[in-house]
Amino acid sequence: MMKLGFFLYGTGHHIASWRDPGVMPNANQSLKHYVNITQIAERGLFDFVFNADSNSTFGPDDPDIWKRTTVSMRLEPLTLLGALAAVTSRIGLISTATTTYLDPFHVARMFATLDQLSEGRVGWNVVTSSAASEALNFSHAAHVPHDQRYERAAEFIDVAQGLWDTWEDDAHVLDKNGGLFFHPEKLHMLHHKGTHFSVRGPLMVPRSPQGQPVIVQAGQSEAGLELAARTAEVLFTVSQNLEASKKFYAELKARTAKCGRSPDSIKVMPGVLTVVGKSRDEAREKFEQLQTLIHPELGVAMLSDIVGLDLSKYPLDGPVPDVPLTNTQQGRQKVVMDMARAENMTIRQLYIRVATARGHRVVFGTALDIADALEEWYRGGAADGFNIMPQTLPHELNTFVDEVIPELQRRGLFRTRYEGATLRENLGLPRPPNRFAATSAAAE
């Protein structure tokens, strides 16, 4: 079955969504709003909601640009997902936490706690921080170099997963008569000493109902893909071209197999901004109305941030200049530059296309059109599912759930009920064994 995530973003995913007359402009700070859209997604049987995060603003690090967007208004994600766990029962809850500027014990504890409170519905979106300005909020003078960030991330994930295996599944016996709370032989201290971290343990949270939180990633650089092949269970991608996406999908699955993992153990889910109308013309009109609200200053700045070069110094209707690889979002940069070259786009044409949804694919039309577009990529071997990014919220999400979901179900592409209680069960991912319990069993 096709997997569907709902990319949680207050006002919607079009960069000018907050200016839409039907959108609450301060939705990014409203718990009532987040509860509403998450419950809509659960009604639609989405696998999960995904809350992206950065420890500084997304996009250009410039208040003169922030003033035209909602990037400066964003709640801390795990606190928000904790609240959403209390008002949902089946939908997964995925959030970002950086491995570059946080600590593995802290991250492992937060996600393990949320996984317990949600009864096994949590995933961790592992990032190495795409915004260079994050460094300035953690007592660093400059952003950590790209390769060093990924080296640290690999060890960080290993430590977190080791901490999540502190307790075997049956460690806590809670024997009131005998006065025994847990079996001490089923408690495992980590005693990790590595290049970046020294962590003894234990983690004071029992093992999750799903074993461990699901590991999610979004990096598409060479270092990011290597880390994903070894550790990720869901990979969010920025994809525009079907044939290129099919090639990427096949190569990632092969790379995953070379790491000794089943190709089915990682789900590839491109982001898709959707606009649903009663007709194609209506959908196009809704889309174009928001396109006209993208301020040129904002569009150029957003594109400049993605490609890693200040494009304000170049003619808007001239070609996009060549750029070197950045120290931040290399995968997204390549997708955008490849698109510019393939379509011979000007800077203006490219920013209008890219600023809309940060480089993600845009699909608009009737419910049948949207279902056709998703089915083509899914059946064509380009994706295991999609991270749906409604143009505006809550209206476009409601329309997707009421019109597109039933069409996908009619085609036998999407579930009619949740398969299980945990995020892993619904994604079709195996429950990981406890590494220490397996070692102990082998020794006996």
Side-chain angles (χ1 to χ4, degrees), residues 265-283:
S265 65
I266 184 169
K267 308 298 181 184
V268 179
M269 301 180 67
V272 182
L273 184 144
T274 56
V275 189
V276 187
K278 290 182 174 58
S279 67
R280 293 179 184 177
D281 287 343
E282 182 189 83

Side-chain angles (χ1 to χ4, degrees), residues 53 77 116 171 290 337 343 368:
D53 189 49
Q116 284 291 331
L290 282 189
M337 291 302 296
E343 301 182 35
L368 293 179

